[in-house]
Amino acid sequence: MPSDKVTVMAPASIANVGPGFDVFGLALGEPYDLVTAEVRRGRGVKVRKMEGLEGHQVTLDPKRNTAAVAAAKVLEAAGADFGLSITVIKGVRPCSGMGSSGASAAGGAYAANLLLKEPLAPNQLVACAASGEEASSGSFHADNVAPSLLGGFTIVRSYDPLDVVRVEPPAQLGVVAALPDVLVPTKEARGLVPDKVPLRSMVFHVGHASSLAVAMAQGDLGLVGRSLRDVVVEPARAPLVPHLREAEAAAVRAGALASFLGGSGPCVASFFDKGRSDGRAIAEAVREVYRSNGIECATWVTSWGQGCRRWRP
Ligand code: HSE
């Protein structure tokens, strides 16, 4: 066995990214969870401690804890003959729309993989982490765990079989993640997503999703901005996020390329061109919308990130 203890930095991510419900995801530079996995005698995964931002709210039950379920899936897939004890320090608040459970799941899978003699392939890891995510959200979706694990912009081309494509986003792409002090459980937000969509909405989404993928690959930030629209899922969820439209409009007035609901919310995500702005005015504009309505709002001015990494403090 290569080592018997490892700590991993597992970043937040923005899922859906406009038109790509359950398909697109972008890894962030920050915030991130720290997930430590330590080999223990005997089989199975135990959760020793959940700390950090609202960590005490997260279950220690290894059958429902996303990091533990993901790590157990990795051990099972590899036929490992050891167990793990896991500790998580949450830097990504749960129910944020910033891939909090996905970050812990990705970190659990990545850390377990580092402890194997023969590590799993990236797509296998994504599948294990998505099972962890399922334990908390009730649905198998990989659009948070994929970017959190692989970094950059990811596209879930197919769920059956699971096939994820990674695209290197433009270097100049900056991200403002604004988190109003409102909780939106993913399970609840998924309950609002319509089962059926009109054909014209499907045409709109295929067009915007295709052009977003091309824009990311070609580094065309103008086209990234024009492609970030969702006429199906975000409108259905908007009632869960107070002042969403106002916040998005304020971000665009302050220079964002586009602003949209991050994951299942309440994160308000805004993309900007780092060549034209440092993002701080965008963060301030969104915070001001919430401040003037009596709601606290945390912001991160960051960039897209490289995904899970071994933590070396
Ligand atoms: N695609 C998922 C959803 C992401 O929107 O429900 C959850 O953060």
Side-chain angles (χ1 to χ4, degrees):
M1 204 177 303
S3 157
D4 64 0
K5 184 175 177 181
V6 68
T7 297
V8 162
M9 190 199 112
S13 59
I14 300 292
N16 303 337
V17 198
F21 177 69
D22 278 2
V23 170
F24 292 154
L26 186 80
L28 298 184
E30 55 169 10
Y32 49 82
D33 286 356
L34 290 176
V35 180
T36 300
E38 187 165 12
V39 171
R40 65 179 197 92
R41 263 186 259 129
R43 300 290 173 98
V45 176
K46 290 195 168 165
V47 185
R48 205 166 70 83
K49 235 191 279 178
M50 294 295 303
E51 297 179 316
L53 288 183
E54 307 293 328
H56 62 283
Q57 308 258 24
V58 181
T59 179
L60 299 178
D61 176 354
K63 295 221 165 352
R64 294 187 299 127
N65 179 286
T66 60
V69 173
K73 284 277 173 191
V74 169
L75 297 187
E76 184 190 317
D81 60 356
F82 57 91
L84 291 175
S85 163
I86 295 222
T87 302
V88 179
I89 303 177
K90 296 289 304 166
V92 190
R93 187 202 81 184
C95 300
S96 60
M98 294 171 68
S100 174
S101 52
S104 293
Y110 193 87
N113 205 42
L114 285 176
L115 296 168
L116 296 174
K117 262 193 229 121
E118 289 176 33
L120 303 183
N123 261 302
Q124 278 179 292
L125 264 195
V126 172
C128 294
S131 299
E133 169 91 291
E134 188 178 12
S136 84
S137 71
S139 79
F140 188 90
H141 59 273
D143 51 337
N144 283 119
V145 295
S148 196
L149 276 165
L150 308 177
F153 180 68
T154 54
I155 303 170
V156 183
R157 200 266 313 160
S158 150
Y159 274 93
D160 188 14
L162 187 66
D163 184 13
V164 177
V165 180
R166 181 195 188 277
V167 176
E168 184 81 2
Q172 295 290 81
L173 177 63
V175 184
V176 174
L179 184 55
D181 193 14
V182 178
L183 295 181
V184 176
T186 297
K187 239 182 220 170
E188 189 185 328
R190 291 186 79 84
L192 297 181
V193 177
D195 285 339
K196 296 198 167 90
V197 296
L199 187 63
R200 66 177 180 284
S201 301
M202 191 202 77
V203 171
F204 184 97
H205 274 246
V206 171
H208 282 70
S210 310
S211 60
L212 181 58
V214 169
M216 284 286 185
Q218 294 185 343
D220 183 340
L221 287 180
L223 186 58
V224 166
R226 295 200 301 284
S227 304
L228 285 165
R229 293 278 311 281
D230 169 359
V231 294
V232 174
V233 181
E234 181 173 323
R237 287 170 162 174
L240 294 179
V241 185
H243 313 293
L244 173 64
R245 296 293 182 228
E246 236 180 291
E248 290 174 343
V252 171
R253 276 197 307 275
L257 294 163
S259 183
F260 54 97
L261 185 66
S264 55
C267 172
V268 181
S270 306
F271 284 180
F272 66 95
D273 180 345
K274 291 200 282 184
R276 295 181 172 206
S277 150
D278 66 7
R280 281 185 296 186
I282 299 167
E284 178 51 33
V286 176
R287 265 200 314 270
E288 183 49 35
V289 167
Y290 284 101
R291 194 185 298 131
S292 63
N293 284 287
I295 299 174
E296 276 182 40
C297 178
T299 52
W300 289 265
V301 177
T302 184
S303 191
W304 62 271
Q306 291 293 347
C308 282
R309 289 282 175 280
R310 194 185 277 261
W311 172 249
R312 298 185 203 280

